Amino acid sequence: MLSYYFNFLVFAFVASITPGPSNLISLMIGSKRGAFAAIPFVIGSSFSAALILWLSGYGLVSLFTTFPLAQTIMTWTGALWISWLAWKLFQSTTQHTLSEPQKTIGWIEGVTLQLVNPKTWIMAITVNAIFTAPDAQNSTPLFYLAVIFFFVSTPCLLSWSWLGQAAKLIKSFARWERLINRSLAALLVITVWFSVFMMQ
């Protein structure tokens, strides 16, 4: 049982620390407003992902199998919304350009992002396929997995915001800021649409 939870902990760490829409937005907030400003977004994002993971054990994922159109609509809506955020980032040239969107990126946006984030649903499907027995009647272990995922995901996302804040302290950051913004925007688009096509 100990190795079971350890294996999941490793899985949760890899799933949370690797680049994805949540990581890149956390990085963006950190570079623009500091790491502490990203905390509401990070908490909301981690909570939402953990909740999706837990509810997937009650048939949330199978709901999309029954109603594939609902999954398609949610997936494409999420991809388009994240792409819009990437476009706003791509257009920014100074640290003040994104001041208005940054004010709205908080707890609610973190929760909403995961609901439409293809990477999160792939994670939930993977956990159900690998770490949950098909004939399991007890949902308690899945609840524990969701709690573990929350506590692993939160510091992973925060580390990206700290990375963004640290980058801002580099002397040449202002000179390279436009290129950095556009690179992050491109990565954001690539990661979300890669996830979308993985789900097809």
Side-chain angles (χ1 to χ4, degrees), residues 47-57 60-61 111 114-116 120-121 123-124 128:
F47 174 79
S48 182
L51 184 64
I52 290 172
L53 174 59
W54 182 37
L55 293 179
S56 65
L60 186 62
V61 172
V111 171
Q114 297 297 35
L115 292 176
V116 295
T120 303
W121 291 102
M123 180 273 297
N128 274 273

Side-chain angles (χ1 to χ4, degrees), residues 140-197:
T140 302
L142 192 57
F143 172 76
Y144 291 152
L145 296 185
V147 172
I148 292 172
F149 189 87
F150 173 82
F151 284 107
V152 171
S153 176
T154 300
C156 286
L157 290 179
L158 279 176
S159 68
W160 281 79
S161 65
W162 281 109
L163 180 63
Q165 178 175 297
K168 189 178 179 181
L169 298 177
I170 300 174
K171 279 187 177 181
S172 59
F173 180 80
R175 185 163 29 123
W176 292 94
E177 187 171 4
R178 186 174 184 179
L179 178 60
I180 292 171
N181 288 341
R182 292 189 170 185
S183 299
L184 287 175
L187 280 173
L188 195 57
V189 170
I190 290 171
T191 54
V192 69
W193 287 104
F194 178 78
S195 298
V196 167
F197 290 116

Side-chain angles (χ1 to χ4, degrees), residues 131-144:
F131 294 96
T132 306
D135 58 347
Q137 299 297 319
N138 188 358
S139 61
T140 302
L142 192 57
F143 172 76
Y144 291 152

